[in-house]
Amino acid sequence: MSATPTRSQLSFTESVNYMADRAFKVLRIDEGIANAIKACSATLEVNFPVEINGEVQVFTGWRSVHSTHRLPAKGGIRFATIVDQDEVEALAALMTYKCAIVDVPFGGSKGGLLIDPSQYSRDDMQKITRRFARELVRKGFLSPATNVPAPDMGTGEREMAWIADAYKHLHPEDVNYSGCVTGKPVAHGGIRGRTEATGRGVVYVMREFFRHDDCVAQAGFKGGLGGKSVIFQGLGNVGFHAASILEEEDGCLITGLIERDGALVNPKGLSITRVREHILEHGTIKGFPDAEFIADGKSVFTMACDILVPAALEAQITAENAHDIKARLIVEAANGPVTFEADEILRERGVTVLPDAYVNAGGVTVSYFEWVRNLAHIRFGRMERRYDEMRGAHLLQAIQTMTDNPIPDWIQRELVQGADELDLVRSGLDDTMRLAFQQIKEAYDSYDEVSDFRTAGYVVAIDKITRSYVDIGVY
Ligand code: GLU
Protein backbone atom coordinates (compact mmCIF):
# COMPACT_ATOMS: atom_id res chain seq x y z
CA MET A 1 0.00 0.00 0.00
CA SER A 2 1.29 3.47 -0.81
CA ALA A 3 2.69 5.62 1.98
CA THR A 4 1.10 8.95 2.83
CA PRO A 5 2.34 11.54 0.35
CA THR A 6 4.88 14.16 1.29
CA ARG A 7 4.66 16.05 -1.99
CA SER A 8 2.22 18.91 -2.05
CA GLN A 9 1.10 18.30 -5.63
CA LEU A 10 -0.18 14.84 -6.44
CA SER A 11 -1.35 13.82 -9.88
CA PHE A 12 -5.10 13.24 -10.21
CA THR A 13 -4.55 9.47 -10.43
CA GLU A 14 -2.38 9.49 -7.30
CA SER A 15 -5.01 11.53 -5.49
CA VAL A 16 -7.71 8.95 -6.35
CA ASN A 17 -5.41 6.05 -5.38
CA TYR A 18 -4.54 7.58 -2.01
CA MET A 19 -8.23 8.02 -1.28
CA ALA A 20 -8.88 4.40 -2.23
CA ASP A 21 -5.95 3.27 -0.07
CA ARG A 22 -7.73 4.42 3.08
CA ALA A 23 -10.50 1.93 2.30
CA PHE A 24 -8.11 -0.91 1.36
CA LYS A 25 -6.58 -0.43 4.80
CA VAL A 26 -9.94 -0.46 6.61
CA LEU A 27 -10.95 -3.66 4.79
CA ARG A 28 -7.48 -5.20 5.28
CA ILE A 29 -7.34 -6.18 1.62
CA ASP A 30 -4.32 -8.14 0.49
CA GLU A 31 -1.81 -5.81 -1.19
CA GLY A 32 -1.76 -7.82 -4.44
CA ILE A 33 -5.54 -7.60 -4.84
CA ALA A 34 -5.44 -3.89 -3.92
CA ASN A 35 -2.85 -3.26 -6.62
CA ALA A 36 -4.88 -5.27 -9.13
CA ILE A 37 -7.98 -3.18 -8.39
CA LYS A 38 -6.13 0.14 -8.55
CA ALA A 39 -4.23 -0.62 -11.75
CA CYS A 40 -5.52 0.82 -15.00
CA SER A 41 -6.19 -2.09 -17.37
CA ALA A 42 -5.40 -0.32 -20.66
CA THR A 43 -5.19 3.12 -22.19
CA LEU A 44 -5.42 3.77 -25.91
CA GLU A 45 -3.96 6.95 -27.35
CA VAL A 46 -4.96 7.86 -30.87
CA ASN A 47 -3.62 10.58 -33.13
CA PHE A 48 -5.71 11.11 -36.22
CA PRO A 49 -5.80 13.65 -39.02
CA VAL A 50 -8.91 15.55 -40.11
CA GLU A 51 -9.08 18.06 -42.93
CA ILE A 52 -10.47 21.37 -41.68
CA ASN A 53 -10.99 24.18 -44.23
CA GLY A 54 -8.53 22.56 -46.63
CA GLU A 55 -5.84 22.12 -43.97
CA VAL A 56 -4.94 18.86 -42.25
CA GLN A 57 -4.98 18.97 -38.44
CA VAL A 58 -3.92 16.14 -36.14
CA PHE A 59 -6.04 15.47 -33.05
CA THR A 60 -5.07 13.48 -29.97
CA GLY A 61 -7.53 11.46 -27.94
CA TRP A 62 -7.53 8.79 -25.24
CA ARG A 63 -9.83 6.05 -24.05
CA SER A 64 -8.84 4.40 -20.83
CA VAL A 65 -10.29 1.18 -19.44
CA HIS A 66 -9.70 0.97 -15.73
CA SER A 67 -11.54 -2.27 -15.00
CA THR A 68 -13.22 -5.13 -16.81
CA HIS A 69 -14.50 -7.21 -13.88
CA ARG A 70 -17.91 -6.26 -15.29
CA LEU A 71 -18.57 -5.50 -18.96
CA PRO A 72 -19.12 -3.23 -20.74
CA ALA A 73 -16.69 -0.72 -19.30
CA LYS A 74 -18.51 2.57 -18.99
CA GLY A 75 -17.74 6.26 -18.79
CA GLY A 76 -18.02 9.57 -20.55
CA ILE A 77 -15.94 11.18 -23.26
CA ARG A 78 -14.86 14.76 -22.67
CA PHE A 79 -13.80 17.30 -25.26
CA ALA A 80 -11.59 19.88 -23.59
CA THR A 81 -8.26 21.63 -23.74
CA ILE A 82 -7.15 20.30 -20.36
CA VAL A 83 -7.46 16.58 -21.17
CA ASP A 84 -4.41 14.37 -20.75
CA GLN A 85 -3.66 10.71 -20.10
CA ASP A 86 -3.43 11.10 -16.31
CA GLU A 87 -6.81 12.82 -16.15
CA VAL A 88 -8.52 10.20 -18.30
CA GLU A 89 -7.02 7.36 -16.23
CA ALA A 90 -8.03 8.97 -12.92
CA LEU A 91 -11.56 9.53 -14.21
CA ALA A 92 -11.73 5.92 -15.46
CA ALA A 93 -10.77 4.72 -11.97
CA LEU A 94 -13.49 6.90 -10.46
CA MET A 95 -15.97 5.27 -12.87
CA THR A 96 -15.04 1.83 -11.50
CA TYR A 97 -15.78 2.91 -7.93
CA LYS A 98 -18.86 4.88 -9.00
CA CYS A 99 -20.50 1.96 -10.76
CA ALA A 100 -19.81 -0.33 -7.80
CA ILE A 101 -21.30 2.13 -5.28
CA VAL A 102 -24.61 2.41 -7.16
CA ASP A 103 -24.72 -1.24 -8.23
CA VAL A 104 -24.47 -0.53 -11.92
CA PRO A 105 -22.98 -3.70 -13.43
CA PHE A 106 -20.23 -2.04 -15.49
CA GLY A 107 -16.46 -1.65 -15.37
CA GLY A 108 -14.88 1.80 -15.38
CA SER A 109 -13.68 3.69 -18.44
CA LYS A 110 -13.22 7.27 -19.63
CA GLY A 111 -12.25 9.07 -22.79
CA GLY A 112 -10.99 12.47 -23.77
CA LEU A 113 -10.20 14.44 -26.89
CA LEU A 114 -7.83 17.37 -26.73
CA ILE A 115 -9.84 20.09 -28.46
CA ASP A 116 -11.52 23.42 -27.91
CA PRO A 117 -14.97 22.76 -29.42
CA SER A 118 -15.79 26.47 -29.52
CA GLN A 119 -13.17 26.90 -32.27
CA TYR A 120 -14.88 24.55 -34.73
CA SER A 121 -18.08 24.62 -36.76
CA ARG A 122 -20.80 22.04 -36.27
CA ASP A 123 -19.78 20.24 -39.46
CA ASP A 124 -16.13 20.13 -38.40
CA MET A 125 -17.11 18.80 -34.96
CA GLN A 126 -19.14 16.10 -36.68
CA LYS A 127 -16.17 15.05 -38.85
CA ILE A 128 -13.80 15.02 -35.87
CA THR A 129 -16.20 13.13 -33.58
CA ARG A 130 -17.02 10.49 -36.19
CA ARG A 131 -13.34 9.97 -36.95
CA PHE A 132 -12.51 9.64 -33.23
CA ALA A 133 -15.37 7.13 -32.86
CA ARG A 134 -14.09 5.07 -35.82
CA GLU A 135 -10.63 4.96 -34.26
CA LEU A 136 -12.12 3.69 -30.99
CA VAL A 137 -14.30 1.07 -32.72
CA ARG A 138 -11.45 -0.27 -34.88
CA LYS A 139 -9.14 -0.60 -31.89
CA GLY A 140 -11.75 -2.42 -29.79
CA PHE A 141 -12.52 0.47 -27.45
CA LEU A 142 -16.17 1.03 -28.40
CA SER A 143 -19.02 -1.47 -28.68
CA PRO A 144 -22.28 -2.26 -26.84
CA ALA A 145 -20.68 -5.33 -25.24
CA THR A 146 -17.28 -4.02 -24.23
CA ASN A 147 -17.00 -0.25 -23.96
CA VAL A 148 -19.83 2.27 -23.92
CA PRO A 149 -19.12 6.02 -23.80
CA ALA A 150 -21.48 8.77 -22.66
CA PRO A 151 -21.51 12.58 -22.51
CA ASP A 152 -19.12 14.46 -20.26
CA MET A 153 -17.55 17.90 -20.25
CA GLY A 154 -17.84 19.46 -23.74
CA THR A 155 -20.00 16.67 -25.18
CA GLY A 156 -23.73 16.03 -25.24
CA GLU A 157 -26.46 14.17 -27.10
CA ARG A 158 -25.35 15.60 -30.45
CA GLU A 159 -21.90 13.94 -30.21
CA MET A 160 -23.43 10.70 -28.86
CA ALA A 161 -25.75 10.48 -31.90
CA TRP A 162 -22.74 10.86 -34.24
CA ILE A 163 -20.81 8.20 -32.32
CA ALA A 164 -23.75 5.75 -32.48
CA ASP A 165 -24.10 6.36 -36.21
CA ALA A 166 -20.37 5.88 -36.81
CA TYR A 167 -20.51 2.53 -34.98
CA LYS A 168 -23.63 1.46 -36.93
CA HIS A 169 -21.86 2.11 -40.24
CA LEU A 170 -18.98 -0.16 -39.22
CA HIS A 171 -21.23 -2.86 -37.68
CA PRO A 172 -24.59 -2.82 -39.49
CA GLU A 173 -25.13 -6.45 -38.51
CA ASP A 174 -25.09 -5.63 -34.78
CA VAL A 175 -28.74 -5.54 -33.76
CA ASN A 176 -27.75 -3.85 -30.50
CA TYR A 177 -25.78 -1.06 -32.16
CA SER A 178 -27.66 1.74 -30.37
CA GLY A 179 -26.34 0.41 -27.03
CA CYS A 180 -22.78 1.33 -28.09
CA VAL A 181 -23.14 4.75 -26.47
CA THR A 182 -25.54 6.35 -23.97
CA GLY A 183 -26.83 9.88 -23.56
CA LYS A 184 -28.24 9.85 -27.10
CA PRO A 185 -31.19 12.01 -28.19
CA VAL A 186 -34.51 10.34 -27.34
CA ALA A 187 -35.34 10.05 -31.06
CA HIS A 188 -32.16 7.98 -31.55
CA GLY A 189 -32.54 5.45 -28.76
CA GLY A 190 -31.89 7.80 -25.83
CA ILE A 191 -33.92 7.70 -22.65
CA ARG A 192 -36.05 10.43 -21.13
CA GLY A 193 -34.43 11.99 -18.10
CA ARG A 194 -30.80 11.25 -19.04
CA THR A 195 -29.78 14.88 -19.58
CA GLU A 196 -30.94 15.98 -16.13
CA ALA A 197 -29.90 12.69 -14.45
CA THR A 198 -26.57 13.67 -12.89
CA GLY A 199 -27.94 16.96 -11.51
CA ARG A 200 -31.16 15.37 -10.28
CA GLY A 201 -29.14 12.57 -8.70
CA VAL A 202 -27.15 15.19 -6.76
CA VAL A 203 -30.44 16.53 -5.36
CA TYR A 204 -31.65 13.03 -4.43
CA VAL A 205 -28.37 12.55 -2.52
CA MET A 206 -28.90 15.78 -0.58
CA ARG A 207 -32.52 14.92 0.22
CA GLU A 208 -31.44 11.52 1.53
CA PHE A 209 -28.68 13.08 3.64
CA PHE A 210 -31.24 15.41 5.24
CA ARG A 211 -33.53 12.46 6.02
CA HIS A 212 -30.94 11.17 8.50
CA ASP A 213 -31.14 13.23 11.70
CA ASP A 214 -27.77 11.96 12.98
CA CYS A 215 -25.98 13.03 9.78
CA VAL A 216 -27.69 16.42 9.84
CA ALA A 217 -26.76 17.02 13.49
CA GLN A 218 -23.19 15.86 12.97
CA ALA A 219 -22.74 18.30 10.11
CA GLY A 220 -23.93 21.02 12.49
CA PHE A 221 -27.27 21.67 10.80
CA LYS A 222 -30.79 22.05 12.11
CA GLY A 223 -33.92 21.28 10.10
CA GLY A 224 -34.27 20.17 6.51
CA LEU A 225 -32.84 21.15 3.17
CA GLY A 226 -35.37 23.98 2.67
CA GLY A 227 -33.94 27.43 3.36
CA LYS A 228 -30.29 26.29 3.34
CA SER A 229 -27.83 28.58 1.58
CA VAL A 230 -25.90 26.88 -1.22
CA ILE A 231 -22.92 28.06 -3.27
CA PHE A 232 -22.42 26.35 -6.62
CA GLN A 233 -19.40 26.21 -8.87
CA GLY A 234 -20.39 25.64 -12.48
CA LEU A 235 -23.67 26.03 -14.31
CA GLY A 236 -23.03 23.37 -16.93
CA ASN A 237 -25.36 20.43 -17.40
CA VAL A 238 -24.84 19.03 -13.88
CA GLY A 239 -24.75 22.34 -11.99
CA PHE A 240 -27.72 23.83 -13.82
CA HIS A 241 -30.09 20.95 -13.15
CA ALA A 242 -28.99 20.45 -9.54
CA ALA A 243 -29.16 24.16 -8.70
CA SER A 244 -32.50 24.81 -10.38
CA ILE A 245 -34.16 21.76 -8.78
CA LEU A 246 -32.80 22.77 -5.35
CA GLU A 247 -34.10 26.29 -5.86
CA GLU A 248 -37.49 25.42 -7.33
CA GLU A 249 -38.44 22.15 -5.60
CA ASP A 250 -36.54 22.24 -2.30
CA GLY A 251 -36.62 25.91 -1.36
CA CYS A 252 -32.82 26.29 -1.11
CA LEU A 253 -31.23 29.70 -1.59
CA ILE A 254 -28.49 29.63 -4.20
CA THR A 255 -26.47 32.45 -2.68
CA GLY A 256 -23.40 32.16 -4.88
CA LEU A 257 -22.40 30.91 -8.32
CA ILE A 258 -18.76 30.59 -9.34
CA GLU A 259 -18.13 30.52 -13.08
CA ARG A 260 -15.08 30.74 -15.34
CA ASP A 261 -15.31 34.51 -15.67
CA GLY A 262 -16.08 35.44 -12.06
CA ALA A 263 -18.86 34.82 -9.55
CA LEU A 264 -22.34 36.07 -8.72
CA VAL A 265 -23.44 36.56 -5.13
CA ASN A 266 -26.85 37.32 -3.71
CA PRO A 267 -27.62 36.47 -0.05
CA LYS A 268 -31.35 36.39 -0.91
CA GLY A 269 -30.81 33.73 -3.59
CA LEU A 270 -30.21 33.79 -7.35
CA SER A 271 -32.80 32.79 -9.93
CA ILE A 272 -30.89 30.01 -11.66
CA THR A 273 -33.10 29.97 -14.73
CA ARG A 274 -32.55 33.69 -15.23
CA VAL A 275 -28.79 33.36 -14.74
CA ARG A 276 -28.74 30.60 -17.35
CA GLU A 277 -30.75 32.73 -19.78
CA HIS A 278 -28.31 35.58 -19.21
CA ILE A 279 -25.32 33.31 -19.93
CA LEU A 280 -26.95 31.97 -23.11
CA GLU A 281 -27.69 35.50 -24.31
CA HIS A 282 -24.42 37.24 -23.37
CA GLY A 283 -21.91 34.38 -23.11
CA THR A 284 -20.91 35.54 -19.60
CA ILE A 285 -22.35 36.02 -16.11
CA LYS A 286 -21.13 39.63 -16.17
CA GLY A 287 -23.89 42.19 -16.22
CA PHE A 288 -26.46 39.93 -14.55
CA PRO A 289 -28.83 42.17 -12.60
CA ASP A 290 -29.91 41.27 -9.02
CA ALA A 291 -26.49 40.02 -7.93
CA GLU A 292 -23.09 41.32 -7.00
CA PHE A 293 -20.41 40.38 -9.53
CA ILE A 294 -17.09 39.26 -8.06
CA ALA A 295 -14.19 39.23 -10.50
CA ASP A 296 -12.07 36.87 -8.38
CA GLY A 297 -14.58 34.05 -8.66
CA LYS A 298 -12.54 31.54 -6.67
CA SER A 299 -12.68 33.74 -3.57
CA VAL A 300 -16.37 32.79 -3.30
CA PHE A 301 -15.40 29.21 -2.36
CA THR A 302 -14.59 30.52 1.12
CA MET A 303 -17.68 32.69 1.58
CA ALA A 304 -20.14 31.82 4.34
CA CYS A 305 -22.85 29.33 3.30
CA ASP A 306 -24.36 26.06 4.52
CA ILE A 307 -23.55 23.86 1.54
CA LEU A 308 -20.90 24.07 -1.18
CA VAL A 309 -21.49 22.21 -4.45
CA PRO A 310 -18.48 22.12 -6.80
CA ALA A 311 -19.98 21.08 -10.14
CA ALA A 312 -17.24 21.98 -12.60
CA LEU A 313 -13.61 20.88 -12.72
CA GLU A 314 -11.23 18.72 -10.72
CA ALA A 315 -8.80 20.13 -8.13
CA GLN A 316 -10.79 23.22 -7.16
CA ILE A 317 -10.61 22.76 -3.40
CA THR A 318 -6.95 22.37 -2.60
CA ALA A 319 -4.51 22.76 0.32
CA GLU A 320 -4.63 26.51 -0.52
CA ASN A 321 -8.30 27.15 0.27
CA ALA A 322 -9.43 24.08 2.27
CA HIS A 323 -8.61 25.72 5.62
CA ASP A 324 -10.91 28.65 4.85
CA ILE A 325 -14.00 26.85 3.56
CA LYS A 326 -16.98 27.94 5.69
CA ALA A 327 -19.56 25.45 4.38
CA ARG A 328 -20.39 22.59 6.78
CA LEU A 329 -21.23 20.27 3.90
CA ILE A 330 -19.47 19.83 0.54
CA VAL A 331 -21.37 17.90 -2.12
CA GLU A 332 -19.02 16.83 -4.93
CA ALA A 333 -21.11 17.05 -8.08
CA ALA A 334 -17.96 17.24 -10.25
CA ASN A 335 -15.34 14.49 -10.50
CA GLY A 336 -12.34 15.06 -8.24
CA PRO A 337 -13.05 18.67 -7.15
CA VAL A 338 -11.29 18.11 -3.80
CA THR A 339 -7.63 17.06 -3.89
CA PHE A 340 -6.28 14.43 -1.53
CA GLU A 341 -4.40 17.06 0.48
CA ALA A 342 -7.52 19.24 0.79
CA ASP A 343 -9.54 16.20 1.77
CA GLU A 344 -7.16 15.51 4.67
CA ILE A 345 -7.57 19.11 5.86
CA LEU A 346 -11.36 18.98 5.60
CA ARG A 347 -11.47 15.67 7.49
CA GLU A 348 -9.40 17.21 10.25
CA ARG A 349 -11.69 20.23 10.37
CA GLY A 350 -14.79 18.03 10.57
CA VAL A 351 -16.33 19.35 7.35
CA THR A 352 -18.67 16.73 5.91
CA VAL A 353 -17.85 15.77 2.31
CA LEU A 354 -20.21 13.69 0.21
CA PRO A 355 -17.88 12.15 -2.38
CA ASP A 356 -17.96 12.39 -6.19
CA ALA A 357 -17.97 8.64 -6.79
CA TYR A 358 -21.36 8.55 -5.10
CA VAL A 359 -22.81 12.05 -5.58
CA ASN A 360 -22.55 12.27 -9.37
CA ALA A 361 -23.36 8.61 -10.08
CA GLY A 362 -26.87 9.54 -11.24
CA GLY A 363 -25.56 10.01 -14.77
CA VAL A 364 -24.17 6.53 -15.17
CA THR A 365 -27.21 5.09 -13.38
CA VAL A 366 -29.56 6.46 -16.01
CA SER A 367 -27.03 5.49 -18.70
CA TYR A 368 -27.46 1.94 -17.40
CA PHE A 369 -31.26 2.27 -17.82
CA GLU A 370 -30.69 3.56 -21.37
CA TRP A 371 -28.37 0.68 -22.23
CA VAL A 372 -30.89 -1.85 -20.89
CA ARG A 373 -33.65 -0.12 -22.90
CA ASN A 374 -31.45 -0.36 -26.03
CA LEU A 375 -30.82 -4.08 -25.55
CA ALA A 376 -34.52 -4.65 -24.81
CA HIS A 377 -35.49 -2.55 -27.87
CA ILE A 378 -38.51 -1.16 -26.06
CA ARG A 379 -39.29 1.96 -24.07
CA PHE A 380 -39.88 1.51 -20.34
CA GLY A 381 -43.58 1.60 -19.48
CA ARG A 382 -44.77 0.84 -23.02
CA MET A 383 -46.45 -2.46 -22.14
CA GLU A 384 -47.99 -1.66 -18.76
CA ARG A 385 -48.87 2.02 -18.65
CA ARG A 386 -52.46 1.85 -20.00
CA TYR A 387 -53.11 -1.38 -18.14
CA ASP A 388 -52.06 0.28 -14.87
CA GLU A 389 -54.32 3.24 -15.66
CA MET A 390 -57.26 0.92 -16.28
CA ARG A 391 -56.67 -0.88 -12.98
CA GLY A 392 -56.39 2.46 -11.17
CA ALA A 393 -59.70 3.58 -12.66
CA HIS A 394 -61.41 0.33 -11.63
CA LEU A 395 -60.01 0.63 -8.11
CA LEU A 396 -61.27 4.18 -7.86
CA GLN A 397 -64.72 3.14 -9.04
CA ALA A 398 -64.81 0.28 -6.55
CA ILE A 399 -63.83 2.51 -3.62
CA GLN A 400 -66.36 5.15 -4.60
CA THR A 401 -69.18 2.61 -4.99
CA MET A 402 -68.41 0.93 -1.69
CA THR A 403 -67.80 3.98 0.49
CA ASP A 404 -70.07 6.48 -1.21
CA ASN A 405 -67.48 9.04 -0.19
CA PRO A 406 -65.96 11.46 -2.70
CA ILE A 407 -62.24 10.89 -3.20
CA PRO A 408 -60.13 14.06 -3.35
CA ASP A 409 -59.17 15.07 -6.89
CA TRP A 410 -55.41 14.67 -6.38
CA ILE A 411 -55.80 11.07 -5.17
CA GLN A 412 -58.02 10.33 -8.17
CA ARG A 413 -55.38 11.77 -10.49
CA GLU A 414 -52.58 9.77 -8.86
CA LEU A 415 -54.59 6.54 -8.95
CA VAL A 416 -55.51 6.68 -12.61
CA GLN A 417 -52.10 7.80 -13.80
CA GLY A 418 -49.89 5.06 -15.25
CA ALA A 419 -46.13 5.66 -15.02
CA ASP A 420 -44.42 6.82 -18.21
CA GLU A 421 -40.73 6.44 -19.00
CA LEU A 422 -39.70 9.65 -17.23
CA ASP A 423 -41.60 8.67 -14.05
CA LEU A 424 -39.89 5.28 -14.06
CA VAL A 425 -36.42 6.70 -14.72
CA ARG A 426 -36.78 9.20 -11.86
CA SER A 427 -38.11 6.53 -9.55
CA GLY A 428 -35.23 4.18 -10.41
CA LEU A 429 -32.71 6.98 -9.95
CA ASP A 430 -34.16 8.04 -6.59
CA ASP A 431 -34.18 4.45 -5.37
CA THR A 432 -30.58 3.93 -6.49
CA MET A 433 -29.26 7.07 -4.79
CA ARG A 434 -31.13 6.33 -1.55
CA LEU A 435 -29.97 2.72 -1.36
CA ALA A 436 -26.37 3.71 -2.03
CA PHE A 437 -26.52 6.33 0.73
CA GLN A 438 -27.82 3.72 3.14
CA GLN A 439 -24.98 1.35 2.25
CA ILE A 440 -22.41 4.12 2.67
CA LYS A 441 -23.91 5.12 6.01
CA GLU A 442 -23.85 1.53 7.17
CA ALA A 443 -20.11 1.34 6.38
CA TYR A 444 -19.62 4.70 8.10
CA ASP A 445 -21.42 3.47 11.23
CA SER A 446 -19.90 0.00 11.38
CA TYR A 447 -16.14 0.65 11.03
CA ASP A 448 -14.46 2.56 13.87
CA GLU A 449 -11.64 3.64 11.54
CA VAL A 450 -14.08 5.25 9.10
CA SER A 451 -14.82 8.85 10.00
CA ASP A 452 -15.79 10.32 6.62
CA PHE A 453 -18.23 9.51 3.84
CA ARG A 454 -15.54 9.31 1.16
CA THR A 455 -13.75 6.45 2.85
CA ALA A 456 -17.14 4.86 3.59
CA GLY A 457 -18.03 5.13 -0.12
CA TYR A 458 -14.74 3.53 -1.15
CA VAL A 459 -15.27 0.78 1.44
CA VAL A 460 -18.65 -0.03 -0.14
CA ALA A 461 -17.17 -0.01 -3.66
CA ILE A 462 -13.99 -1.91 -2.88
CA ASP A 463 -15.80 -4.54 -0.87
CA LYS A 464 -18.01 -5.34 -3.89
CA ILE A 465 -15.15 -5.22 -6.42
CA THR A 466 -12.88 -7.38 -4.26
CA ARG A 467 -15.61 -9.98 -3.94
CA SER A 468 -15.88 -10.13 -7.69
CA TYR A 469 -12.07 -10.48 -8.08
CA VAL A 470 -11.87 -13.18 -5.40
CA ASP A 471 -14.88 -15.12 -6.77
CA ILE A 472 -13.55 -15.18 -10.32
CA GLY A 473 -9.86 -15.39 -9.49
CA VAL A 474 -7.02 -13.72 -11.34
CA TYR A 475 -5.97 -15.51 -14.54
N1 GLU B 1 -19.70 11.28 -17.75
C1 GLU B 1 -20.54 10.85 -16.68
C2 GLU B 1 -19.75 10.51 -15.45
O1 GLU B 1 -18.66 10.99 -15.26
C3 GLU B 1 -21.48 9.75 -17.13
C4 GLU B 1 -20.85 8.46 -17.47
C5 GLU B 1 -21.81 7.46 -18.14
O2 GLU B 1 -23.01 7.71 -18.15
O3 GLU B 1 -21.32 6.44 -18.62
O4 GLU B 1 -20.21 9.84 -14.58
Side-chain angles (χ1 to χ4, degrees), residues 63 73-78 91 94-95 98-99 106-107 109-110 148-153 155 182-183 194 198 238 333-335 356 360-368:
R63 184 78 181 161
K74 190 82 186 78
I77 289 189
R78 59 174 55 176
L91 292 167
L94 276 175
M95 287 307 304
K98 202 181 289 192
C99 291
F106 294 148
S109 182
K110 199 80 174 199
V148 179
D152 202 86
M153 198 180 288
T155 55
T182 59
R194 174 63 186 84
T198 314
V238 181
N335 287 309
D356 49 5
N360 67 40
V364 76
T365 300
V366 176
S367 275
Y368 168 48

Side-chain angles (χ1 to χ4, degrees), residues 201-222:
V202 172
V203 177
Y204 288 159
V205 165
M206 293 167 76
R207 289 182 189 163
E208 183 60 13
F209 178 87
F210 275 91
R211 275 187 204 108
H212 295 262
D213 293 342
D214 49 345
C215 297
V216 174
Q218 208 186 341
F221 291 132
K222 282 202 182 83

Side-chain angles (χ1 to χ4, degrees), residues 392-438:
H394 288 165
L395 191 68
L396 196 69
Q397 244 170 14
I399 297 170
Q400 265 167 344
T401 318
M402 287 166 78
T403 60
D404 220 16
N405 254 340
I407 295 177
D409 280 355
W410 73 269
I411 298 185
Q412 293 203 26
R413 267 199 312 274
E414 292 288 316
L415 268 178
V416 298
Q417 167 102 52
D420 63 16
E421 187 170 70
L422 185 61
D423 296 324
L424 294 169
V425 163
R426 287 183 178 169
S427 155
L429 175 62
D430 193 9
D431 187 53
T432 302
M433 300 318 277
R434 288 193 204 203
L435 277 177
F437 187 89
Q438 286 152 23

Side-chain angles (χ1 to χ4, degrees), residues 268-316:
K268 293 202 186 109
L270 298 158
S271 160
I272 291 303
T273 311
R274 287 189 42 226
V275 176
R276 170 89 148 193
E277 280 165 9
H278 183 90
I279 296 175
L280 288 178
E281 199 179 326
H282 303 279
T284 170
I285 54 167
K286 278 185 212 155
F288 179 73
D290 304 331
E292 185 190 346
F293 174 75
I294 301 200
D296 177 13
K298 284 206 167 180
S299 65
V300 174
F301 272 118
T302 56
M303 273 195 174
C305 66
D306 294 314
I307 305 168
L308 181 60
V309 186
L313 296 168
E314 55 257 24
Q316 299 299 297

Side-chain angles (χ1 to χ4, degrees), residues 52-207:
I52 310 280
N53 299 330
E55 254 180 52
V56 174
Q57 287 186 29
V58 178
F59 294 88
T60 304
W62 294 267
R63 184 78 181 161
S64 177
V65 177
H66 179 257
S67 57
T68 55
H69 63 295
R70 299 256 191 283
L71 283 175
K74 190 82 186 78
I77 289 189
R78 59 174 55 176
F79 286 1
T81 51
I82 52 153
V83 181
D84 60 28
Q85 182 171 341
D86 172 64
E87 185 194 47
V88 169
E89 290 183 353
L91 292 167
L94 276 175
M95 287 307 304
T96 296
Y97 302 121
K98 202 181 289 192
C99 291
I101 288 174
V102 288
D103 281 325
V104 163
F106 294 148
S109 182
K110 199 80 174 199
L113 183 68
L114 196 58
I115 190 170
D116 178 357
S118 70
Q119 299 304 306
Y120 296 88
S121 68
R122 184 183 186 281
D123 284 353
D124 291 340
M125 284 312 297
Q126 173 157 200
K127 263 203 262 181
I128 299 163
T129 306
R130 283 178 178 274
R131 176 64 198 260
F132 186 30
R134 287 202 301 274
E135 294 289 327
L136 297 179
V137 175
R138 290 204 184 105
K139 308 225 157 62
F141 280 72
L142 199 163
S143 87
T146 59
N147 197 320
V148 179
D152 202 86
M153 198 180 288
T155 55
E157 25 175 78
R158 180 182 83 163
E159 287 73 18
M160 302 306 117
W162 292 333
I163 293 174
D165 198 56
Y167 177 84
K168 189 176 93 176
H169 279 280
L170 289 171
H171 290 287
E173 77 292 350
D174 186 347
V175 67
N176 293 320
Y177 70 85
S178 69
C180 76
V181 66
T182 59
K184 301 177 292 293
V186 171
H188 294 275
I191 196 167
R192 286 159 190 83
R194 174 63 186 84
T195 308
E196 62 162 30
T198 314
R200 184 167 282 278
V202 172
V203 177
Y204 288 159
V205 165
M206 293 167 76
R207 289 182 189 163

